[in-house]
Structures are given as structure tokens and as C-alpha cells.
Amino acid sequence: RRRHTRFRNVTGVQNVCSSDLGILTVAVATVAAAQEPGPAQTVTVEVDVNATREQIADQQIKEQEQQRLFGVFPNFRVSYRADAVPLNSRQKFHLAWKSASDPTRFASAAVVSAVQHARDDFRGFGRGGEGYGKRYAALYATLLTHTMINQAVLPSLLRQDPRYFYRGTGSRGSRIRYALSRAILRKGDNGRWQPDYSRMLGSVTSAALSNLYYPEEDRRSTRLMLTNMALGFAGAAAGNLAQEFLFKRLTKTVMTMK
């Protein structure tokens, strides 16, 4: 990107800095004035500013990390930008961990664990404070495993983008079809849509690992895991519909598409 800066009546040394997207600062020029007074001078300085794809993605991630439903609950894994660039592995892990480690995740796990404890779910954990602590640890570990595998590990290995890309244009029917189909399709790092192998493999892998967190008598059968995987795809489709038609209005600090 080429910028032109003009100076009039240069009387000393001028140092100029320019930035692109707030992430690239460039030393631009040093202009020395003539030794003797003279007529007004006009100096043209040409500067090339080139932000790398990684730097642009870092800036866009910072924008996404400001997105919260009702200003409270994280809504980081959706991009509302038409010019969103692919993420590298570091950025995928960062975004997944940012979501998984948000204080609201710990709070929601505490509430759900309390309900499980009151109903005496997973009896192998026992009762009392120790039983509640085990339920909480198992539940949070399950959520963390699912998030990191589905949103970071496999998308990095398979070169897929873990985010939902808001469409926002077209007829209602076309947007519904788009949202539903993105439960089984995911954008690759090459910009092309492809089967969502990260979700398919991730659901099975994370469910199998999560079984290890629970007492043997409470572990799920293969059939139940597959059923839960199907329910997971249905939940993803419902979540996509909410993203497409509802969540943007309820999300604070949404960056407008460019």
C-alpha cells in the first residue's frame, strides 16, 4: 500500500510514522531542511506499508475477542468480517484456549456440576464435597478436551478454520441453508469449503477421551457416543442458525464487515 505525505515550509528534521491496521509501524522518512531560508518547500515521501497475513489475522482475532453475548458470554469463534484471513496453528490454539479459559466457562461448569451432584449423576464419584469436586473436574476436562481437539488440534492438522463465518446477506432461505450446511462443512485454510473432518473426527476422539474422566460404571458405550455425536451435529446446526439470525444483535463490540 503506497502512501504520499507532503510537507510545506520544512524548517527542521521531520520524522514521520505510519501504521496499517494498528499493527505495523514503519519508520518513514527523515527530511532535512535547506541551510539558508528560502521559499516554501514541498516534499513528497512515498512509503510502502505491507502487513503480513499473520499480522492481519492477529488484529482480527483481537476484534473477535471483544465479542460477547449480552456483553458477558464469549462469542469469539464467529467472524463477522467479509475479509477474514485464515489463521495459523498458533492463532487457532490461542482462540480455542481463550474461549475455554474464559471465567464464564468455569462458572457454567460449576452450575452444571452442582445440578449433577444434586441428582447424584455419576454415582461412582460419591457424595459430599469430594464428589462435587470430581464431577466439576470431569465436566470441565470434558469441555476443555472437546474445545481444544475440535477447535485447535484437528483444524491445525487438517488445515481447516474453526470459525463460523457470518453471511448476513441473501434471502432468508439461502441464509438458513448456509447456516445448516456449515454444521458439516468447514472452510479450509485455502479458502475453499470442504467436509468438516475436524468436527467429525473430533467428536469421536474427544468423546472417547472424556470417557476416561468418569468412573468405569458410568462410561458411555460406543453406540451412545455415536448418538451423542449426531446430537452434536444437530446442536452445531442450531447454533449456526442462532449466529446467523440472532446472536449478532445480542453481541457487544461487533466489528462491521469490510
Side-chain angles (χ1 to χ4, degrees):
R1 186 173 302 171
R2 188 171 294 277
R3 297 182 178 180
H4 301 272
T5 305
R6 292 181 178 274
F7 305 92
R8 296 190 61 81
N9 296 320
V10 180
T11 58
V13 176
Q14 303 291 325
N15 293 313
V16 186
C17 290
S18 178
S19 65
D20 186 83
L21 294 174
I23 56 177
L24 184 60
T25 301
V26 241
V28 189
T30 300
V31 181
Q35 296 296 324
E36 300 296 332
Q41 303 176 49
T42 298
V43 181
T44 299
V45 180
E46 295 187 354
V47 185
D48 288 325
V49 180
N50 296 303
T52 66
R53 190 175 77 172
E54 181 178 3
Q55 291 170 322
I56 296 172
D58 279 334
Q59 179 65 20
Q60 293 179 354
I61 288 175
K62 290 179 182 178
E63 295 170 0
Q64 289 176 220
E65 290 173 353
Q66 304 303 312
Q67 298 169 181
R68 289 183 178 271
L69 289 168
F70 306 107
V72 177
F73 302 102
N75 191 26
F76 305 152
R77 295 200 303 269
V78 55
S79 175
Y80 294 104
R81 301 183 62 114
D83 61 348
V85 299
L87 309 180
N88 60 27
S89 294
R90 175 186 62 80
Q91 293 161 337
K92 292 171 185 177
F93 273 89
H94 171 84
L95 196 59
W97 175 247
K98 184 75 173 180
S99 177
S101 63
D102 191 81
T104 60
R105 301 301 190 198
F106 294 104
S108 61
V111 171
V112 174
S113 299
V115 173
Q116 293 176 343
H117 189 67
R119 300 190 320 189
D120 200 22
D121 293 341
F122 311 112
R123 294 185 178 182
F125 283 141
R127 302 295 298 168
E130 182 180 358
Y132 172 76
K134 290 179 178 179
R135 287 179 175 85
Y136 178 86
L139 177 60
Y140 182 74
T142 297
L143 296 174
L144 179 62
T145 299
H146 181 271
T147 298
M148 298 308 294
I149 290 178
N150 285 25
Q151 303 296 328
V153 176
L154 288 176
S156 295
L157 293 174
L158 301 175
R159 298 183 179 180
Q160 295 187 315
D161 200 304
R163 297 170 293 179
Y164 176 79
F165 292 91
Y166 177 78
R167 184 172 184 178
T169 59
S171 66
R172 179 176 294 270
S174 67
R175 292 175 67 191
I176 290 175
R177 290 191 294 272
Y178 172 84
L180 293 177
S181 66
R182 268 52 196 175
I184 57 174
L185 294 176
R186 185 171 292 199
K187 183 178 285 189
D189 291 344
N190 59 6
R192 299 177 181 176
W193 292 101
Q194 52 194 243
D196 194 349
Y197 300 117
S198 296
R199 191 189 305 276
M200 297 174 190
L201 297 175
S203 297
V204 175
T205 304
S206 59
L209 288 175
S210 297
N211 256 344
L212 303 177
Y213 307 149
Y214 292 87
E216 188 172 354
E217 61 269 26
D218 293 316
R219 292 176 183 171
R220 299 174 176 85
S221 65
T222 302
R223 180 178 179 181
L224 183 57
M225 284 194 297
L226 293 175
T227 299
N228 288 341
M229 184 177 71
L231 292 174
F233 278 102
N240 290 348
L241 286 173
Q243 289 286 7
E244 191 66 31
F245 294 100
L246 179 62
F247 285 173
K248 185 179 181 182
R249 289 180 290 174
L250 303 177
T251 298
K252 304 297 182 182
T253 321
V254 170
M255 298 301 296
T256 57
M257 295 189 296
K258 296 181 179 181

